[in-house]
């Protein structure tokens, strides 16, 4: 414990000597809680404890694990408002937005309970005519110990969904939350310990800064799931490469939304203002750039500007968006707005004055150059850049030309699916925004600089298990007891037979 008052650094508020994570209540700026920092020893001990329970956890079988997951869900539901208060305090988002995270995690557990066995249970696969009399099947084995390094923007839902999938797949898991929001990780673990007292170490939490994340990776994880910035994602992937530890990377995004000439503009403006501003724009899938076809551009700008002006930032119950909990984010948002304005954009809402010391209010930038930082780099703030395009072809080219490829949205009455299918991204919502993130059955992840691997859905469950394939002999082999000693000409005959079958399939003449 340090007796010194916490100081504000680029990383937020931390103890003077870095031996503790000290969080602030975002509503007041006052100290909220202290958490001791885990180092290499603690990380090694956590991994060892996790490994020792991973076998018994897997041995429970799907139904046994489902029972424990249901008990965990019950504990989280009972203490839901406590979780909401923690998220509200450490992240700063409005209480109802925090409730969305708690509701979401409960739904994720439900999905895992109902689907883990169907997705990860034993699956028979067809036998092969080349090796007859062999039964073949696949079983999905857990990796063992999964590390989850989480972000601060959705401190419960983002790492929580991954933890649920990892645990439901039969792994033990260790969370390293962001230093900005450690409290909710502790809440998850407390609920687990109450629900599953016989196997408490199946879910653990290690607090600390980047070094704690590094120590966790070095402690012999069998898989890592990382959510955060592209830069740290690359560092983490390089570290994992040293031990060939498989890694899921959920990194940033620069999500584009296309507004076609036949869009319902009222609907588009309503959903896009939410998709861009909710959670103070702190979302890897926040809509950051709207590519709007010129015939509807001005009308769209008018509608979205009217709506954006009404979005209130604050800490009280009436506020729609909270503060910016990561101090280093503020200058990034300011720089993106300044750069867009310098390149000729105008702000119909907000602008440089929207960027305060702790709060940033909505900004809508129009006439933004496609080269501006607000179009090319993740802003992670309540800003929307509007780019006028000739047609949807141009809009598609812009979206596909970026280095990210996470989420997206399309607004069009008649061509939504056609346009969406041409986007090289992980997810697209048609005539709505962000909804793919809310359904636990929908796989979630990106391409390019947005990372690789998937959480959520069947792919999310399989992400945390590896296929173990089996074949079992059920009768005599085709030619001989072993593959040596085949009768002369047997393989030539087999090849000729296959060739003739293929030719016959296309109606060609066979020998
Ligand atoms: P980081 O990528 O730095 O942090 C994400 C997580 O990784 C945190 O838990 C962090 O710990 C941990 N970490 C940091 N360094 C290391 C390391 N070397 N090894 C292992 N773990 C490490 O993101 P920030 O929170 O600093 O946010 C910066 C930017 O990242 C934002 O501006 C935004 O653009 C993007 N971002 C994207 C998110 C997304 O959802 N895709 C989520 C959050 C941020 P600690 O908190 O202690 O530093």
């Amino acid at each position: 414990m340090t007796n010194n008052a916490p100081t504000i650094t680029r990383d937020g508020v931390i103890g003077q000597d870095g031996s503790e994570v000290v969080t602030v209540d975002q509503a007041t700026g006052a100290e909220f809680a202290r958490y001791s920092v885990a180092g290499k020893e603690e990380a090694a001990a956590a991994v060892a404890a996790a490994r020792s329970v991973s076998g018994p956890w897997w041995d429970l079988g799907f139904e046994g694990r489902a029972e424990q997951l249901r008990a965990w869900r019950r504990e989280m539901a009972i203490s839901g408002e406590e979780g909401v208060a923690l998220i509200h305090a450490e992240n700063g988002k409005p209480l109802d937005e925090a409730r969305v995270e708690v509701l979401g995690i409960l739904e994720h557990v439900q999905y895992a309970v109902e689907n883990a066995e169907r997705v990860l249970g034993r699956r028979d696969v067809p036998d092969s005519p080349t090796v007859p009399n062999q039964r073949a099947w696949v079983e999905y084995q857990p990796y063992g110990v999964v590390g989850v390094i989480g972000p601060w923007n959705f401190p419960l839902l983002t790492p929580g969904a991954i933890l649920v999938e990892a645990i439901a797949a039969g792994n033990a898991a260790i969370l390293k939350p962001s230093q900005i929001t450690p409290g909710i990780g502790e809440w998850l673990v407390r609920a687990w310990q109450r629900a599953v007292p016989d196997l408490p170490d199946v879910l653990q939490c290690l607090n600390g800064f980047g070094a704690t994340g590094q120590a966790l990776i070095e402690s012999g994880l069998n898989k890592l799931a990382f959510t955060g910035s592209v830069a740290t994602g690359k560092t983490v992937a390089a570290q994992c490469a040293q031990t060939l530890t498989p890694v899921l990377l959920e990194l940033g995004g620069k999500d584009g939304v296309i507004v076609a000439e036949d869009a319902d503009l009222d609907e588009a403006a309503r959903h896009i203002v939410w998709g861009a501003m909710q959670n103070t724009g702190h979302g890897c899938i926040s809509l950051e750039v709207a590519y709007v076809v010129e015939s509807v551009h001005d009308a769209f700008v008018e509608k979205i500007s009217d709506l954006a002006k009404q979005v209130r930032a604050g800490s009280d119950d009436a506020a729609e968006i909270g503060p910016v909990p990561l101090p280093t984010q503020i200058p990034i948002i300011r720089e993106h707005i300044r750069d867009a304005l310098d390149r000729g954009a105008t702000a119909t809402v907000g602008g440089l004055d929207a960027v305060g010391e702790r709060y940033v209010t909505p900004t809508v930038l129009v006439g933004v150059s496609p080269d501006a930082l607000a179009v090319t780099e993740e802003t992670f703030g309540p800003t929307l850049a509007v780019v006028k395009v000739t047609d949807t072809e141009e809009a598609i080219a812009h979206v596909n030309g970026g280095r990210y490829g996470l989420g997206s949205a399309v607004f069009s009455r008649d061509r939504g699916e056609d346009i969406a299918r041409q986007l090289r991204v992980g997810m697209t919502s048609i005539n709505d925004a962000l909804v793919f993130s809310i359904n636990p059955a929908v796989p979630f992840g990106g391409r390019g600089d947005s990372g690789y691997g998937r959480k959520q859905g069947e792919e999310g469950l399989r992400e945390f298990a590896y296929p173990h394939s089996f074949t079992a002999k059920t009768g005599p082999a085709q030619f001989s007891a072993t593959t040596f000693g085949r009768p002369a000409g047997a393989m030539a005959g087999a090849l000729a037979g296959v060739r003739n079958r293929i030719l016959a399939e296309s109606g060609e003449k066979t020998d």
Side-chain angles (χ1 to χ4, degrees):
M1 285 284 281
T2 170
N3 293 321
N4 298 332
T7 49
I8 296 181
T9 73
R10 71 158 290 281
D11 291 328
V13 178
I14 63 169
Q16 291 277 24
D17 58 6
S19 64
E20 290 181 301
V21 175
V22 183
T23 62
V24 284
D25 183 334
Q26 295 292 336
T28 61
E31 179 177 325
F32 179 71
R34 291 180 177 233
Y35 306 85
S36 52
V37 169
K40 288 186 179 182
E41 256 176 53
E42 289 83 359
V47 171
R51 185 147 291 126
S52 73
V53 293
S54 60
W57 177 242
W58 176 240
D59 289 344
L60 286 180
F62 286 106
E63 190 37 51
R65 285 192 294 278
E67 202 178 307
Q68 307 303 319
L69 286 164
R70 279 188 215 104
W72 185 35
R73 186 176 50 142
R74 179 179 175 277
E75 289 298 330
M76 289 193 285
I78 290 169
S79 61
E81 286 297 329
E82 184 196 336
V84 166
L86 281 166
I87 296 171
H88 174 65
E90 290 188 338
N91 169 283
K93 66 179 70 182
L95 288 165
D96 273 353
E97 296 297 311
R99 288 188 181 99
V100 170
E101 293 206 49
V102 177
L103 285 165
I105 197 73
L106 298 175
E107 211 185 312
H108 275 279
V109 180
Q110 177 83 15
Y111 177 82
V113 163
E114 289 173 359
N115 293 282
E117 183 161 14
R118 177 181 64 77
V119 175
L120 299 173
R122 175 188 165 124
R123 181 165 56 91
D124 289 336
V125 296
D127 59 1
S128 155
T130 315
V131 275
N133 296 326
Q134 297 277 347
R135 216 160 28 85
W137 74 97
V138 181
E139 292 180 13
Y140 291 90
Q141 309 279 348
Y143 281 97
V145 182
V146 174
V148 178
I149 296 180
W152 49 269
N153 54 330
F154 284 92
L156 173 59
L157 195 50
T158 297
I162 293 171
L163 290 168
V164 169
E165 286 150 10
I167 291 172
N171 302 279
I174 303 169
L175 170 65
K176 203 304 273 181
S178 163
Q179 55 169 298
I180 310 283
T181 52
I184 198 68
E186 302 265 335
W187 174 84
L188 274 171
V189 170
R190 284 198 299 276
W192 179 269
Q193 290 172 343
R194 289 195 301 275
V196 193
D198 294 343
L199 291 170
D201 292 334
V202 168
L203 175 60
Q204 299 174 71
C205 179
L206 289 177
N207 287 314
F209 307 95
T212 302
Q214 280 176 330
L216 178 61
I217 299 169
E218 281 164 10
S219 298
L221 295 175
N222 302 109
K223 172 122 191 177
L224 178 76
F226 171 84
T227 307
S229 63
V230 177
T232 309
K234 287 181 180 173
T235 304
V236 158
Q239 206 185 337
C240 286
Q242 300 308 308
T243 46
L244 293 180
T245 304
V247 56
L248 161 68
L249 292 177
E250 211 276 87
L251 308 178
K254 188 74 202 175
D255 288 8
V257 47
I258 297 176
V259 181
E261 66 292 334
D262 67 338
D264 178 330
L265 294 187
D266 289 313
E267 278 279 287
R270 201 163 59 81
H271 289 300
I272 295 170
V273 80
W274 181 75
M277 310 298 170
Q278 67 89 33
N279 209 39
T280 322
H282 304 320
C284 49
I285 54 163
S286 291
L287 297 176
E288 296 205 351
V289 192
Y291 297 99
V292 186
V293 170
E294 58 189 358
S295 58
V296 294
H297 174 271
D298 293 355
F300 171 78
V301 167
E302 197 180 325
K303 287 177 192 294
I304 198 152
S305 302
D306 284 348
L307 293 175
K309 277 176 198 149
Q310 296 166 34
V311 177
R312 253 204 69 231
S315 294
D316 53 284
D317 283 354
E320 271 112 7
I321 59 175
V324 177
L326 180 69
T328 50
Q329 200 63 41
I330 303 254
I332 295 172
I333 301 169
R334 186 183 291 117
E335 175 59 15
H336 285 199
I337 295 173
R338 189 196 309 279
D339 174 70
L341 297 173
D342 285 351
R343 291 170 192 257
T346 52
T348 58
V349 181
L352 284 171
D353 291 347
V355 186
E357 296 222 334
R358 292 186 51 240
Y359 289 89
V360 178
T361 57
T363 288
V364 176
L365 297 160
V366 298
V368 186
S369 158
D371 298 333
L373 293 171
V375 176
T376 59
E377 300 293 327
E378 188 169 41
T379 307
F380 232 58
T383 60
L384 179 74
V386 181
V387 176
K388 192 193 282 189
V389 290
T390 312
D391 51 29
T392 53
E393 292 303 307
E394 187 188 340
I396 293 165
H398 279 307
V399 171
N400 290 344
R403 66 188 177 104
Y404 297 101
L406 195 57
S408 58
V410 173
F411 286 83
S412 165
R413 283 192 172 90
D414 293 330
R415 298 193 298 121
E417 277 189 42
D418 281 353
I419 298 167
R421 207 166 281 118
Q422 294 177 63
L423 300 177
R424 293 204 296 272
V425 295
M427 293 87 57
T428 307
S429 58
I430 299 167
N431 295 327
D432 208 322
L434 318 187
V435 282
F436 45 75
S437 66
I438 294 161
N439 181 351
V442 172
F444 183 109
R447 53 172 289 283
D449 274 10
S450 295
Y452 44 74
R454 290 294 180 270
K455 61 180 184 180
Q456 297 188 186
E458 297 186 6
E459 282 78 359
L461 284 166
R462 289 208 186 100
E463 185 76 37
F464 295 101
Y466 65 91
H468 182 168
S469 304
F470 300 84
T471 60
K473 190 170 178 183
T474 56
Q478 190 176 12
F479 300 118
S480 70
T482 70
T483 47
F484 292 133
R486 296 182 191 105
M491 293 314 288
L495 179 54
V498 171
R499 183 196 62 210
N500 287 344
R501 215 167 50 234
I502 291 168
L503 291 175
E505 275 165 15
S506 53
E508 292 175 73
K509 197 165 162 294
T510 61
D511 293 342

